[in-house]
Amino acid sequence: MQTLNQDIKSGEFKQIYLLYGEEAFLKNSYKNRLKEAIIGDDTMNFARFEGKGLDVDELIRLADTMPFFAERRLILIEDSGFFKTASDALVQYLPSMPDTTILLFVETEVDKRNRLYKKIKDMGYAAELNRQDSAQLARWAGGILAREQKKITNHTMELFLSMTGDDMENIRMELEKVISYTLGRDVITDEDVMAICTVQVTNRIFDMVSAIVNRQTRKAMDLYEDLLTLKEPPMRILFLIARQFNQLLQVKELMAKGMDKGTIASKLKMQPFVVGKTMPQARQFSREQILSYVNSCVETEEAVKSGRLQDRLAVELLITKEYG
């Protein structure tokens, strides 16, 4: 991110940028900042391509076109799939691309063995923008609050992040609500956070996993129905359940090595508040029992991807499965 910030500040840009990773807020933020810095509001020298199956010949023709009464032409390509299955024509073309053209790729899936990825590493800059750890999120959120002349203790910030989850876009929206709620006051309290912040999907997932491992099938199914009502796709719910079980397994293993909450949080880049909630859950079960849940999640995903089960039913079967 330091390289991106420096290029935006200096106005000296590389010919190709790749923004990838699971933190959508950061990808969107840097995409917009780069676009603004490179061409501003110049629409004549800006083009955007999105989705798989793009016409590479058309892309190359446009990249070869000189900018119209401007220094640069910017081409934005989003979720192209080029970094899973590279276009040989595009890889071969890049070294001869005019200096006046800048390509900006924004991708969800990237294979670092991919030829296009390697070419961009050679010619430009690839930025992996992943979820931030709790300390980074706390600093970022604290900076936003400070600009609004708001103060918050470490404990209250920890509570706030435990309710919002680690999605930066959601954190930003919740910060706006807290700032508005505390208008006229400069200190944000636990009570303010509890009154305003929405309990997010990750909290429901935590409760669902607790219900599954405690064999509270009805409660787990009710939580599943709540998430479906909130328009959460079944496969995203499955991903979050699997992630929670994996975290449970990791916490269990580090506890067995004698590590305390703070050390575990630092090692796994988890919020201490979340680790504190996970540790009692991990104590209830053996490593083998938790691993059986992890394996069940993998089997469920394979059943859906192979077409053997419909996604909604597959997650229902996972939740209601009898574990030994």
Side-chain angles (χ1 to χ4, degrees):
M1 288 190 285
Q2 186 176 355
T3 299
L4 294 175
N5 291 328
Q6 181 59 39
D7 289 2
I8 290 168
K9 183 178 180 180
S10 68
E12 297 180 4
F13 301 103
K14 296 166 181 60
Q15 262 204 289
I16 314 172
Y17 290 92
L18 166 62
L19 309 179
Y20 70 101
E22 58 184 13
E23 182 46 75
F25 177 87
L26 285 177
K27 286 192 296 184
N28 194 52
S29 175
Y30 277 109
K31 174 186 74 176
N32 291 333
R33 288 178 61 195
L34 281 167
K35 179 176 179 290
E36 174 63 27
I38 293 168
I39 59 166
D41 57 2
D42 180 359
T43 57
M44 295 189 68
N45 295 296
F46 172 70
R48 178 176 178 270
F49 295 82
E50 182 178 14
K52 295 177 175 62
L54 300 180
D55 187 332
V56 175
D57 290 337
E58 180 187 354
L59 178 59
I60 291 174
R61 281 195 299 272
L62 185 59
D64 270 338
T65 305
M66 296 298 290
F68 188 72
F69 291 117
E71 291 183 17
R72 307 182 188 95
R73 173 179 298 281
L74 174 65
I75 301 176
L76 171 63
I77 305 114
E78 300 192 66
D79 291 321
S80 65
F82 287 156
F83 296 88
K84 298 293 282 185
T85 53
S87 163
D88 290 339
L90 186 57
V91 173
Q92 292 166 10
Y93 164 74
L94 291 181
S96 63
M97 187 171 71
D99 293 341
T100 52
T101 295
I102 294 177
L103 297 183
L104 172 56
F105 291 92
V106 183
E107 300 285 332
T108 302
E109 295 183 282
V110 165
D111 182 345
K112 294 181 181 179
R113 299 166 298 179
N114 178 279
R115 290 179 62 213
L116 182 57
Y117 175 84
K118 292 177 180 178
K119 180 64 70 175
I120 288 175
K121 288 279 284 185
D122 290 341
M123 293 183 57
Y125 182 68
E128 186 171 8
L129 303 172
N130 286 325
R131 300 281 190 185
Q132 304 293 285
D133 64 31
S134 57
Q136 292 167 321
L137 291 173
R139 285 194 296 272
W140 176 68
I144 293 174
L145 292 175
R147 288 195 292 273
E148 298 292 332
Q149 287 79 52
K150 299 290 183 183
K151 299 174 184 176
I152 188 169
T153 66
N154 289 338
H155 178 273
T156 303
M157 177 63 80
E158 195 174 293
L159 173 64
F160 172 78
L161 292 176
S162 76
M163 297 188 70
T164 62
D166 60 2
D167 183 278
M168 293 178 75
E169 179 61 27
N170 183 63
I171 292 172
R172 184 190 63 78
M173 292 189 294
E174 294 298 305
L175 282 172
E176 289 179 1
K177 288 159 60 176
V178 170
I179 290 166
S180 297
Y181 183 73
T182 57
L183 197 63
R185 290 189 285 119
D186 61 352
V187 177
I188 294 171
T189 66
D190 288 2
E191 289 73 21
D192 296 327
V193 171
M194 296 297 291
I196 289 300
C197 291
T198 306
V199 177
Q200 290 304 306
V201 170
T202 48
N203 288 37
R204 284 189 170 90
I205 293 293
F206 186 92
D207 291 340
M208 185 188 296
V209 166
S210 291
I212 292 171
V213 295
N214 286 301
R215 296 176 174 80
Q216 298 171 323
T217 305
R218 184 65 262 164
K219 180 180 179 181
M221 282 300 300
D222 286 344
L223 288 164
Y224 181 47
E225 292 295 334
D226 287 347
L227 291 171
L228 292 174
T229 301
L230 292 170
K231 307 299 183 186
E232 282 295 322
M235 290 306 287
R236 173 168 159 76
I237 295 172
L238 174 60
F239 165 76
L240 292 171
I241 290 173
R243 186 175 73 168
Q244 180 64 29
F245 276 124
N246 274 304
Q247 286 182 346
L248 196 60
L249 183 62
Q250 290 175 307
V251 169
K252 178 78 175 178
E253 291 175 340
L254 294 182
M255 286 170 63
K257 295 179 180 179
M259 295 186 188
D260 60 16
K261 181 177 80 171
T263 306
I264 293 173
S266 176
K267 196 166 187 66
L268 297 181
K269 294 184 170 20
M270 290 171 63
Q271 299 163 23
F273 193 95
V274 174
V275 175
K277 287 170 62 179
T278 305
M279 289 174 75
Q281 197 178 68
R283 289 190 190 98
Q284 290 181 267
F285 303 94
S286 68
R287 181 184 181 279
E288 290 69 28
Q289 286 174 311
I290 299 171
L291 192 57
S292 73
Y293 291 111
V294 173
N295 291 333
S296 291
C297 290
V298 173
E299 291 165 4
T300 301
E301 182 180 10
E302 288 176 351
V304 174
K305 287 185 174 179
S306 66
R308 285 186 285 118
L309 284 175
Q310 185 263 346
D311 56 2
R312 179 167 178 164
L313 174 60
V315 179
E316 287 180 7
L317 292 174
L318 173 71
I319 291 170
T320 57
K321 180 178 177 180
E322 289 291 333
Y323 294 87

